[in-house]
Amino acid sequence: MATRNPAPVVPRGSFSVWQRLLRGYGPLAVLAVLLLVMAVLVPTKSPDATVAANNATNGDDETVAIDGTNDTVPLEGGSTVPGSATSGSAGGVKKGLPGRTEVCPGQALQVGNDPYSPPCIAFSGDNGGATSKGVTASEIKVSYRVLNEKGFQQTLAALAGASLQDGPDDIRRTVQALSEYFNKRYQFYGRKIVMDFYPGQGSNTTELLGGGREKAETDADTVKEHGAFADLSATSEPYANALARRGILGFGDPYLSRPWHDQHKPYIWSIATDGTMVATEAAEYAGKRLCNKGAKWAGGDLKDKPRSIATFAPENSWYQESVQIARGTLDKFNCKPGENVKYQLDLGTMSNQAANLIPRMKAAGVTTILCGCDPIMPVFLTGEMNRQNYYPEFIIVGTALTDTDIVGQLWNQEAAKHAFGVSSLQAFEPPTKTIAYAAYKSVRSDEPAFTVDLIYYQMQMMAIGIQMAGPNLTPQSFEAGMFRYPPKVGPLGFWTFGPSDYTAANDVREIFWDPAATSTYNGKKGAFIDPNPGTRWKVNEIPAGDPNIPVR
């Protein structure tokens, strides 16, 4: 049982979810595919996707009712800790239980030196036993769907010349080790996370492209039969939707919209910023800093011509919903968006699509491409731009690795030097300098999976909600606890949660690509540079005026 733990020594360096990406991939696509496509490979809307806001129908016609109780004890600084069970109900805690929660005397954070740590909570007494499906007096059962498939991660790795090293055993070992880490350091009120790895029938790659719904439903049935409270591998819309319909918490959905999360509350959470937020931030940046001016950062004949903006994004309906939000936001800034270019997420045709799209953009006089792209399409787009001697401004919106050094290094560098925009990620540090790596090494002596950073932060989101929920853990008290979590700024940006906000990262920084810069991640040429170190913007805070970016 965690109470007041000594603060482990962890590095304060910045973190990227994807820092280990191209050092090795595994065939386990549940997490590895997400590294590459979580930002944009969102599937087609299904007619049965809606889950009522205050009722989620389980597979056996049961419903999960929301408990509105939410008593709390104030902390210093105005945030709150789940209230004592002896003095009322806390986030759904049953009255009359002998357990008691209180602020840790002399310790502000549960884990020192961790910028996302929740407030320290001390607990004594009875936790109430079984409070929800998958929750007993001693355990919190969490499932993990193990898949063995190939897809986008192998394609990008092949383009980069990277080896495929992570396997299912590496992922399993890393997940298990990090669950031990959080069990030791977080306050789970006498309970421990117990991982349940099961072989799934579905395909994460297929589901990310909008298919595979039937097998995703079958896998969610398995999770229900196993009696899990939550699932850490909800990295596609079909699978996340199926889990929510069965009243199971799911973590990891790929940038689905705010309306989608509202329809599935309180069940689906992710460190991937919701698509609505991504679209709004990108459009505000373009509207305030670029629109109705000359294309200052374009190359060749396009340089300084009046900006003509085209949006690029996959054709699936959920991502196009976010595109329409972005285009509507541009309108608010009297910035007329140009053509909305939709492309297919088909690895076999991306090269041909780029060969057709770029000449069309060149003929139309497009000076600026706002790219809400997957990580592979820009490789082909920039290559075709160079062949066509066409160098538009290439605006990064922070989706699917397009804001990371390891992907930018794969682009045609003559075209890439016209790339700039916004990113929610902080600057990169070497893989062995991250908080996640230190957490793993604190419980194991071997090396973690290359995806340890992603696993760590998604699991931390779950751990925060469990701690903030209080002893009576239910999906509804989990939501109430997340809404009580005090805002935090750390390596993954600004974390805060509340109504309609079920995902992390609520701010961005400005970046531009410098082909001559040395990456702090891998020491190779080519890196994204922050022209305003330490400056980050939330929605409605992006200033007007030209970007502080060198003209090439």
Side-chain angles (χ1 to χ4, degrees), residues 26-27 33 50 62 69 74 83 151 158 198 224 228 253 257 269 292 328 332 355 410 468 523 539:
V33 168
T50 299
E62 296 177 1
T69 56
Y198 79 95
K224 182 181 176 183
D253 74 86
S257 69
W269 304 78
N292 303 313
K332 294 179 182 178
L410 303 180
M468 295 301 295
V539 170

Side-chain angles (χ1 to χ4, degrees), residues 53 64 78 112 114 123 142 216 238 311 351 367 421 485 547:
V64 181
D114 186 336
F123 173 72
V142 178
T311 55
S351 178
T367 67
Y485 175 70

